[in-house]
Amino acid sequence: LGKTLQILAMLAHQSALGHSDPSLLVVPASLLGNWRTEARKFAPGLRLLFYHPSEISKKEMQGIQSSPEETLNGYHLVVTTYALASRTAWLKDYHWQFVILDEAQAIKNHAAKQTRAVKKIPAKARIALTGTPIENRLGDLWSLFDFLNPGLLGSSKKFQSFVNSLEKDGIRSFGPLRKLVSPYILRRL
C-alpha cells in the first residue's frame, strides 16, 4: 500500500477506537489536492481541514488561529504546508495526536527555518513519510530522526562522530547504524 493510504487507514482506525484529538499533516503545497482526493476515495468518514489560503478564507484561518481548541473539535486531520507551518505560531501551542510529515526530506537541513518550526510542534507521536530519506548526506537521516525521536541518534555533532567511527581502513560499515534505526523504519522492498 502507498504511504498516503496507510496513514489514512491508521487515522480511520484511531477514529474508530474513539481517539478524538486531531492530527496534523504537513505537506508540500503541491500535494494538498492529492491528500484530498485520496481521503475522499479511501477514508470518506474522516473529517479533514485544509489550513491553507488556497483552501479556506483568510477569515476562517483567523478564526482557527484565535480558538483552535474550539474550531478543530470534530476534525480528524488538519492539513497544512511546510511554508505555513514555519510561520503559524498556534500550531506549536496545540497538542496534536500525530504530527505527520509527507515528503519529510523537506526537513533534511536541520538548521532551516521550516525544520526548526515543525520540530517544535507537540504531538503524542510523530511520523515521517519519505521515499528518499537520505539524498546526499547521513546528516539528512539524523535530521529526520531528530524530528521523530529526539536524542535517539544524539546531537548532530555526536552523530557525525559516530558516523566517522564506522569507517575502518577507508571502508564504511554501516551495520551498527542500520541496526539502530531499522526498528523505526517501514520500507517497501
Side-chain angles (χ1 to χ4, degrees):
L1 298 177
K3 299 177 296 246
T4 304
L5 183 53
Q6 288 183 47
I7 291 299
L8 292 170
M10 179 201 64
L11 293 171
H13 180 70
Q14 291 288 312
S15 175
L17 293 175
H19 296 283
S20 60
D21 293 336
S23 294
L24 178 67
L25 171 65
V26 183
V27 303
S30 62
L31 294 182
L32 290 169
N34 181 61
W35 276 91
R36 182 186 312 94
T37 302
E38 297 287 303
R40 283 181 184 156
K41 183 176 182 180
F42 296 111
L46 287 180
R47 289 197 59 217
L48 278 67
L49 171 69
F50 287 84
Y51 186 81
H52 191 268
S54 69
E55 303 287 332
I56 60 175
S57 71
K58 187 174 182 176
K59 185 177 179 179
E60 288 171 301
M61 290 180 77
Q62 290 170 339
I64 295 166
Q65 180 179 336
S66 65
S67 60
E69 294 285 339
E70 185 179 309
T71 313
L72 300 181
N73 189 24
Y75 283 100
H76 299 104
L77 184 64
V78 175
V79 184
T80 194
T81 62
Y82 285 99
L84 272 174
S86 67
R87 60 179 196 260
T88 305
W90 71 266
L91 293 175
K92 71 179 183 344
D93 297 329
Y94 191 87
H95 195 79
W96 304 92
Q97 178 74 15
F98 296 99
V99 172
I100 305 157
L101 305 182
D102 194 3
E103 299 297 338
Q105 66 273 16
I107 66 161
K108 67 183 181 181
N109 178 353
H110 71 274
K113 181 181 177 184
Q114 71 184 18
T115 303
R116 292 190 320 266
V118 297
K119 287 181 180 182
K120 291 179 183 176
I121 301 172
K124 293 177 184 170
R126 295 169 174 220
I127 299 170
L129 307 173
T130 180
T132 54
I134 304 173
E135 292 181 331
N136 298 310
R137 306 172 291 119
L138 281 174
D140 300 356
L141 181 70
W142 178 86
S143 188
L144 287 173
F145 271 87
D146 192 51
F147 165 76
L148 292 169
N149 193 343
L152 178 71
L153 299 180
S155 67
S156 178
K157 283 184 179 184
K158 284 187 179 183
F159 179 71
Q160 188 57 51
S161 177
F162 171 67
V163 168
N164 291 341
S165 76
L166 298 177
E167 187 169 39
K168 294 181 179 140
D169 300 324
I171 300 170
R172 286 191 169 169
S173 172
F174 293 108
L177 177 58
R178 199 172 290 115
K179 184 177 179 181
L180 180 62
V181 300
S182 67
Y184 302 95
I185 299 174
L186 177 62
R187 291 185 65 192
R188 180 175 39 196
L189 300 174

